[in-house]
Amino acid sequence: MAQDRLPSRSLSHSEAEIELGAAEPLAADEADSFASTQISSPTRDAWRRFRRNKAAIIGLTVIVLMMIMAVFAPFMHTSDPTVPDPNVINGGPSPIHWFGTDYVGRDGYSRIVYGLRVPLIVGFIGTAITVIIGTLVGLIAGYVGRTIDSLLSRFTDIMFAFPGFILALIVVSLFGAAADSFGMGGAGRVLLLTVVFAAVGWPPLMRFVRSLALTMKEQQFVEAARTAGSRDWGIMRRHLLPNMWGLVLVQGAFIVVATISNETILSIFGLTVQQPNPDLGSMLFFGVQNIDNSYWQVVFPGVVLAILILALTFLADGIRDAVDPRARG
Amino acid sequence: MALLTFTVRRFLAMILILWIVLTIVFAMARLSPYDPIAQIMQQHYQVAQAAQIRHEFGLDQPMWKQYLNYVGGLLHGDLGKSESQQTLGQPVWSLLQHGVPVTMKLGFYALVLSLVVGLPVGLLSAIKQNSFVDHGSQAIMMVLYAVPVFVLVPLAQVVIGVQLRWLPVTGWGAPGVLGFKEAILPVTLYAAGLTGYFAKSYRSFLLEVLSQDYIRTARAKGLKARIILYIHAVKNTLVPLASIVGPVVAYLITGAFVIETFFGIPGIGYITVESIFNSDYSVIEATTLLLAAFVVLVNFLTDVVYALVDPRVRL
């Protein structure tokens, strides 16, 4: 245990290193053992707590691996995911088709590798945009207050009335076909999905950031900054944002989970990338149509989706426990 | 008195939000590049006939008049007319009306089941904090909560329904079939995620309340542990419970779509998904309005209940 070590001993140790000219930043696990001599910052503390959380590290590893698979799909697949092989319709798992084939004979494994792309793109890029919108609107509403606050808050109230999933459902069903017409290989549809989820995800985050900004702007460090002549924009950027980004990150991680879930449900209903382009949710849907005699069409995409979402949830929980240990459920 | 003004103000805000919601739905439907007439007629497209159908649907009128017709229709309970080939011109409500009680029944059963299981599990792990029981049950609940329903359902159908043949995977809600056996799988799987959510949340709510000063006071003055828990602590967990109504409602709505689609239960989720496959967008618009109205109503009721139990909110 790093904390049990006497401060004096580790202090002299690190001083000796500096004398020897080893002044470059300490490597990750060395930094851990010298925790007591490091200047602790909330970020560094959070990172240390995060590294100790096994479930979170496993989650992070799984997600990184899946991202690598999705990015390098052209090198990972065994056959073209969109080209059917009429000789092996509904074929079971075999050395050639590891995860079996689907109802027109397309390779299940290759479709999963390519199918990971859609949820990952929509989930991460959509959430990144929604987090930026939510943080900006919430920060401005909470810090500036008055008329601007009530305008932005009423607008958020209206957005709240729409369940995000339903709004995404209606927008994609009304505009999906149009998006397909100007995209190559379903890219238009993916863009539409990303924009839609970016547009529907931010209201809860806006309320959260607004309440943080409301309490923070009354505190002394903000008052001090204002007395010292900082402008409002500078205070928001240099004093409020650095103090809330950890909590925003936690919310963002949970939004990724929700976005990927909702994207998959839309894809089960046939609203995301159209056949023959691969997507995990639609694989699941077509697999269920054929449930009686080919279990592999359901089990493989289902298990991959379950692993993806479980990993994301563990990661999100880990980030929350690291950033805000008291919130641990 | 303050409660009455609060309720009236919230009610007016609810009406205003509903009006804005229906305006947004109307605008989206009209902005969409999709032409229902062309979809209905497909290769048999004839200009004269198209104009006639357009006239029947009122789509040849100026936009403001269409909007007034739309709002007027909604006030009379008219949700629009079906645009798909099979049910062309039928009122959307006649398609949806049989689905509403099915969906409500399904959601109600799932909600009750998850409350009955989730809250006691959460309570148990809170009072046995950090014990084997706590860690074990919380791990199970975490998995239930985290594994998405759209993965759980097909896997359960494969294993329980197809491989083992223990329970039927379809048939619930079909006319004449309201059997208990058909309901077990859909209701249990629907409730699974919510159960985990309730157990996790209730544990932290109860722990929060149990760490408060008045509980220590009650303990110090020698009250029985049982009385402290059930009278003093549990009562005060009801307020934070109201704060998770929003996520619960969102879960129930998406869950209804998934469960009904996979199990072929003819509720509004199933009908809406079918209408997506038939490009019947008026049904999707109507469902959006119905569900948004439901969410707004639940939010309104939650606010009122909140104000009832916690007077500080009324300000």
Side-chain angles (χ1 to χ4, degrees), chain A residues 165-166 173-174 284 302 317 329, chain B residues 32 142 150-151 203 254 281 291:
Chain A
F165 168 71
I166 297 296
S173 50
L174 282 174
L284 209 55
D317 271 351
Chain B
S32 163
M142 174 74 194
F150 50 81
V151 171
R203 176 180 182 270
T254 46
Y281 294 112
L291 292 177

Side-chain angles (χ1 to χ4, degrees), chain A residues 154 157-163 165-167 169-171 173-175 177-178 254 260-262 264-265 268-271 284-285 288 291-293 295 298-299 301-303 305-306 309-310 313-314 317 320 327-329, chain B residues 10 17 20-21 24-25 28-29 31-34 142-143 145-151 154-155 157-158 162-163 165 200 203-204 250 253-254 257-258 261-262 272-273 276-277 281 284-285 287-288 291-292 295-296 299:
Chain A
R154 290 299 84 76
D157 282 349
I158 294 164
M159 293 295 293
F160 240 96
F162 280 109
F165 168 71
I166 297 296
L167 194 54
L169 183 84
I170 187 170
V171 173
S173 50
L174 282 174
F175 296 93
F254 284 105
I260 292 190
S261 301
N262 286 339
T264 310
I265 296 175
I268 289 170
F269 300 157
L271 286 173
L284 209 55
F285 178 75
V288 170
I291 202 167
D292 284 329
N293 39 37
Y295 68 89
V298 172
V299 170
V303 167
L305 267 173
I309 297 213
L310 271 176
T313 311
F314 283 154
D317 271 351
R320 185 202 49 209
R328 187 174 196 139
Chain B
R10 280 278 136 186
I17 287 179
I20 293 171
V21 163
I24 293 176
V25 170
M28 278 201 295
L31 281 175
S32 163
Y34 161 82
M142 174 74 194
V143 171
Y145 165 70
V147 175
V149 64
F150 50 81
V151 171
L155 292 184
Q157 285 184 330
V158 168
V162 177
Q163 301 290 325
R165 299 197 179 278
K200 268 166 60 90
R203 176 180 182 270
S204 57
I253 288 175
T254 46
F257 276 81
V258 174
T261 308
F262 274 118
T272 308
V273 172
I276 294 174
F277 288 123
Y281 294 112
I284 307 171
E285 287 157 35
T287 312
T288 309
L291 292 177
V295 170
V296 174
N299 285 347

